Amino acid sequence: HLSIRRQRQMCIRDSYYIHIDDSLDKLIDRKEITFDLSQTEEQQENHAQAQAQSTVVKEDQTSKIKQGLSLIEQIPLFEQTKQDIANTIKRMDNKVVKIGVFGTFSAGKSSLINALLGDNYLVSSPNPTTAAMTEISYGEDSEITLKSEAQLLEELNSVYEVTGQSFETIPSYIESISDKLKGQLEKNQLAFVNAIEKHYNDYQTKIASGLTHKIAKDEIRKWSAEDEYATFVNTVHLKLPLPWLEDKIIVDSLGLHSNNQRHTNETEKVLTSSDLILYVSYFNHAFTDNDKKFIEHMKDMNQLNSNQAFKMVINAVDLAENNDDLTAVYDYVRSALLQVNMDPTIYSVSSRASLKGNDGEMKSLRDDIEHFTVVESKYILQDQMLNQLHHVSNAYAVSYTHLRAHETRGN
């Protein structure tokens, strides 16, 4: 039914891989862009098409999805997509929704999550070079997953790439450290390399017993936000005994204002595996060029097949001088989204005010998330997984066509 069976053997034999050319690495320069607030006829037509495509079929498609997955699971291609689909099926069976929170660095992602949860549980790093991803879920015992030594070395070489330096091992780097060498780095990069110099031996001792370790509640700040320790952390797994989290996993993704390959890789993994996307833009620099590029990147990665699975959030609206100021930013963001064929619900919130007891639209956002989790998610996620399988099928068809053309030329 997905036209995969006919292509299966040919693709196994020749292992054709489809690569996404666009990269989040392009998204590190923040600059404002100007949109025409009026819609052309073409934009209106595209918007109508997007609305029509967002209709979710209210029919259980689980058996069809599992059948499609079984057809491709033995083929050594699209491993991430296959894993994402399998994980989504598992979450559906367990009635748990994964919510990815995205936005540029310092857009207010962590403060938004805190407001949704009702208290200051998350502590975010002010340094994009040492920031770790945080995953919040229901439970009691929080953990950290440390970076592997290979990851740490890769990041170290990435930091020194602009200087033309590279190192075979971390010990060889520590032996070669000099003020002249470190003098070529920026301040936030210095925090990273100083942490390695100071705590590398402690890190080695810790990873000798594994990469994942339980942490006490009073250690969360240390491992999340203090450069000396956050440098070594890949993910903070924050467990909270909050009833609202019983059917949810929330991921505070790494900011996009981060010139770091690990951040790029981790952000893309969260993106492809999220059931619901909350995209956060800061009121004072709402919908920058980076925001536009990232949303287009999500569309290119075939993740935005359903507008219901995407919510736009303008945070820090308490900075608005008056209602006209607030309305102007809202209209600007909505028009910008329409011009990339998106028309999601837009929430104008203040995390700071919400944490002080003035929820405003935060309550509406919280209720919408709950409605998605309880009512909409099953059919929307099935729709998304079917789209992922169709994407794989189309890619196989392209590979098969190329293979046949190559064999024809060879004959």
Side-chain angles (χ1 to χ4, degrees), residues 147-349:
K147 300 169 187 174
S148 68
E149 189 144 8
Q151 282 180 299
L152 203 59
L153 178 62
E154 183 180 357
E155 288 187 49
L156 181 68
N157 282 326
S158 178
V159 165
Y160 277 102
E161 187 175 6
V162 293
T163 71
Q165 300 278 339
S166 65
F167 307 94
E168 293 292 327
T169 65
I170 294 176
S172 68
Y173 162 72
I174 293 174
E175 289 177 5
S176 67
I177 288 174
S178 66
D179 290 340
K180 181 179 179 182
L181 182 64
K182 294 197 293 184
Q184 303 174 70
L185 302 179
E186 297 177 4
K187 184 178 179 180
N188 60 354
Q189 295 172 323
L190 277 174
F192 175 81
V193 300
N194 286 340
I196 291 177
E197 182 180 0
K198 184 176 181 179
H199 292 293
Y200 177 68
N201 289 336
D202 295 335
Y203 159 78
Q204 279 197 310
T205 301
K206 210 163 185 65
I207 65 171
S209 58
L211 293 179
T212 301
H213 299 265
K214 289 185 179 180
I215 56 173
K217 189 176 296 184
D218 60 3
E219 292 183 298
I220 292 171
R221 174 179 290 275
K222 176 176 105 172
W223 291 106
S224 300
E226 295 180 17
D227 289 338
E228 288 189 17
Y229 302 96
T231 289
F232 300 96
V233 178
N234 188 70
T235 307
V236 176
H237 307 276
L238 180 60
K239 302 283 187 177
L240 299 170
L242 302 176
W244 195 71
L245 281 174
E246 288 182 350
D247 53 4
K248 301 174 189 71
I249 299 170
I250 302 177
V251 182
D252 185 4
S253 71
L254 296 164
L256 300 182
H257 191 56
S258 309
N259 191 10
N260 183 305
Q261 186 59 44
R262 179 181 70 87
H263 289 193
T264 296
N265 295 340
E266 293 298 326
T267 297
E268 291 196 344
K269 285 179 184 177
V270 176
L271 172 62
T272 59
S273 63
S274 291
D275 305 323
L276 172 64
I277 293 169
L278 302 183
Y279 194 89
V280 186
S281 194
Y282 196 68
F283 181 82
N284 274 355
H285 42 75
F287 214 90
T288 64
D289 188 46
N290 287 340
D291 295 320
K292 177 177 181 288
K293 287 180 180 178
F294 185 56
I295 288 173
E296 289 177 335
H297 184 80
M298 287 193 284
K299 291 169 73 72
D300 290 343
M301 292 179 70
N302 209 34
Q303 291 305 300
L304 298 183
N305 299 309
S306 236
N307 283 337
Q308 296 96 323
F310 180 94
K311 312 294 181 188
M312 183 74 196
V313 181
I314 305 171
N315 200 2
V317 297
D318 52 311
L319 297 176
E321 295 182 3
N322 49 52
N323 285 336
D324 289 343
D325 194 15
L326 180 59
T327 300
V329 171
Y330 178 93
D331 289 345
Y332 169 80
V333 171
R334 183 171 183 274
S335 179
L337 287 166
L338 289 173
Q339 292 188 41
V340 290
N341 298 323
M342 293 289 294
D343 189 17
T345 306
I346 303 173
Y347 295 89
S348 301
V349 305

Side-chain angles (χ1 to χ4, degrees), residues 348-385:
S348 301
V349 305
S350 168
S351 299
R352 187 188 328 180
S354 178
L355 287 167
K356 292 179 179 179
N358 182 13
D359 253 0
E361 284 196 25
M362 191 68 71
K363 182 181 185 303
S364 299
L365 174 58
R366 196 182 292 114
D367 290 346
D368 198 359
I369 293 171
E370 187 66 19
H371 184 264
F372 174 88
T373 302
V374 176
V375 179
E376 298 179 335
S377 60
K378 177 179 179 179
Y379 298 107
I380 288 174
L381 297 182
Q382 288 183 355
D383 187 58
Q384 290 177 346
M385 287 187 286

Side-chain angles (χ1 to χ4, degrees), residues 80-95:
Q80 187 64 53
T81 299
K82 290 185 288 187
Q83 188 62 55
D84 289 342
I85 294 173
N87 289 341
T88 301
I89 292 172
K90 184 177 179 179
R91 285 196 302 276
M92 283 176 53
D93 290 342
N94 294 331
K95 295 181 170 58

Side-chain angles (χ1 to χ4, degrees), residues 390-408:
H390 284 303
H391 173 71
V392 170
S393 177
N394 291 338
Y396 280 144
V398 170
S399 298
Y400 179 78
T401 300
H402 289 170
L403 178 62
R404 296 297 296 170
H406 177 74
E407 289 181 340
T408 300

